[in-house]
Amino acid sequence: MVNKITVVGAGNVGATAAQRVAEKELAKQVILVDIVEGVPQGKGLDQWQSAPIELYDSRIIGTNGYDETENSDIVIITAGIARKPGMSRDDLMNTNAGIVKTVSEQVARTSPNSIVIVVSNPLDVMCYVAKKATGFPRERVLGMAGVLDTARYRAFLAEALDCSVRDIQAMVLGGHGDTMVPLISYTSVSGIPITQLMERSVLDKIVDRTRNGGAEIVAFLKTGSAYYAPSAGAVQMTEAIVNDQKRILPCAAWLEGEYGMNGLFLGVPCKLGRKGLEKIIEVELTPAERVALGKSADAVREPMAKLS
Ligand code: APR
């Protein structure tokens, strides 16, 4: 357990993440911040009142300011607008860049030693905004996307194979968008390569559904985007850091030569521990996977270049 975890943005993703952090007792205090007056206070109070039932002592406090967030150990940034049907994540860019910049400046001022986990979309570009605005080293700015994309992939695989989600190991790398790269060569069920258990045509359909996993949910919801799985993903990363688990999870990390790339955030296998990003693991890729990762990087660089 750490002393304080702040969640910025008390909307669907943020409020659900705060509740999950509290239920896992990852911090003594969980601070929920939003610009809308009353919303974080109301949600925070409601959540705190679930503590005697769910049996946790993490104290959730809602606020519109940053004083209460001072010296947070971890800050999860979910502030921004969510997608509506027909919108891509990149359509959110300028609005969310402004929001993430403002939030990150406040975080750097009040919690200069914190580890930041970005969830706002378009994810890889928002991580870059957060890194620039905080001035934090790459060890302390990470993005949550790969964990979510991998969870979607694993859920679809478990469903198709009628087996436990627990036994499916997989990794989805690259940017958080249509160009993400599910690594078939590293997908297995209790160590059995997936290609031995499933027809390639079925697997290809699952890969495709994974790529469009977020859009499928947006089409159903119509007024917002996914939040149960995204919040679970952010909290899995948080838990790995708080408990120094040294877990290897696909996260958006700032590349400095890894995979032959520099100067962008991209989903890669990361070892997470109490210091944040402790190592980027470079796995061998097939030529096709390498090409796909390069294309995915291009799809991140393009909106990055348009950032005003
Ligand atoms: N500071 C704090 N909170 C802010 C700010 C700001 N400057 N600007 C907006 N917010 C808040 C909104 O008031 C709202 O409560 O961010 C919250 C966003 O919540 P939702 O609209 O419910 O969106 P959500 O589904 O939570 O998604 C948030 O995460 O997955 C991504 O694409 C998604 O970028 C989106 C983000």
Side-chain angles (χ1 to χ4, degrees):
M1 185 189 278
V2 293
N3 192 44
K4 202 185 277 185
I5 293 176
T6 288
V7 181
V8 187
N12 284 333
V13 178
T16 315
Q19 180 77 22
R20 292 187 194 281
V21 165
E23 285 182 1
K24 286 175 178 277
E25 290 193 317
L26 297 181
K28 285 186 199 137
Q29 282 193 316
V30 181
I31 314 294
L32 189 57
V33 183
D34 202 285
I35 39 161
V36 181
E37 260 178 56
V39 166
Q41 292 86 345
K43 288 192 182 181
L45 189 57
D46 186 14
Q47 292 177 322
W48 168 234
Q49 289 166 2
S50 73
I53 302 167
E54 291 299 329
L55 300 178
Y56 58 81
D57 282 306
S58 293
R59 181 81 171 82
I60 308 179
I61 297 163
T63 173
N64 298 120
Y66 285 81
D67 290 351
E68 294 86 344
T69 72
E70 206 172 10
N71 293 325
S72 292
D73 298 278
I74 296 173
V75 178
I76 303 173
I77 301 180
T78 76
I81 52 166
R83 279 201 285 173
K84 302 211 167 57
M87 282 172 92
S88 75
R89 294 185 182 91
D90 286 352
D91 291 335
L92 310 173
M93 194 172 76
N94 284 328
T95 308
N96 284 357
I99 293 171
V100 170
K101 180 173 183 280
T102 313
V103 168
S104 301
E105 285 165 356
Q106 296 291 345
V107 169
R109 186 179 61 81
T110 46
S111 299
N113 299 316
S114 59
I115 295 168
V116 172
I117 298 173
V118 181
V119 185
S120 308
N121 273 312
L123 192 272
D124 309 275
V125 185
M126 292 308 109
C127 291
Y128 171 63
V129 172
K131 186 173 185 297
K132 267 198 101 167
T134 55
F136 289 179
R138 74 166 182 170
E139 287 72 21
R140 294 198 282 117
V141 183
L142 288 153
M144 192 297 300
V147 170
L148 168 63
D149 297 330
T150 303
R152 286 179 172 149
Y153 182 46
R154 289 170 61 203
F156 297 149
L157 287 171
E159 199 179 351
L161 292 168
D162 189 27
C163 72
S164 169
V165 290
R166 286 178 178 77
D167 291 331
I168 301 197
Q169 295 85 35
M171 230 177 331
V172 178
L173 304 188
H176 188 42
D178 309 344
T179 60
M180 66 180 77
V181 188
L183 296 184
I184 290 171
S185 55
Y186 290 95
T187 306
S188 65
V189 183
S190 289
I192 308 162
I194 190 68
T195 44
Q196 290 185 24
L197 300 172
M198 194 178 262
E199 296 273 336
R200 186 61 198 230
S201 59
V202 180
L203 190 52
D204 286 344
K205 277 195 190 123
I206 289 177
V207 165
D208 205 45
R209 193 175 174 198
T210 302
R211 286 207 176 97
N212 297 303
E216 187 179 350
I217 291 171
V218 172
F220 279 123
L221 294 179
K222 295 187 179 67
T223 55
S225 52
Y227 55 101
Y228 290 112
S231 58
V235 175
Q236 183 177 50
M237 288 172 63
T238 305
E239 187 173 21
I241 294 168
V242 168
N243 292 332
D244 198 22
Q245 287 173 332
K246 316 282 185 196
R247 291 209 61 185
I248 295 172
L249 299 171
C251 308
W254 181 253
L255 299 185
E256 291 173 354
E258 293 86 2
Y259 294 91
M261 293 185 231
N262 263 299
L264 81 163
F265 275 88
L266 201 66
V268 289
C270 295
K271 188 195 275 186
L272 299 189
R274 193 60 198 87
K275 296 190 187 102
L277 171 67
E278 300 201 343
K279 193 178 176 57
I280 293 176
I281 318 280
E282 286 195 77
V283 297
E284 273 179 33
L285 299 177
T286 65
E289 286 166 347
R290 196 163 274 282
V291 169
L293 195 66
K295 279 195 185 146
S296 194
D298 291 343
V300 172
R301 282 199 189 98
E302 200 190 304
M304 230 173 109
K306 284 190 205 142
L307 209 58
S308 46

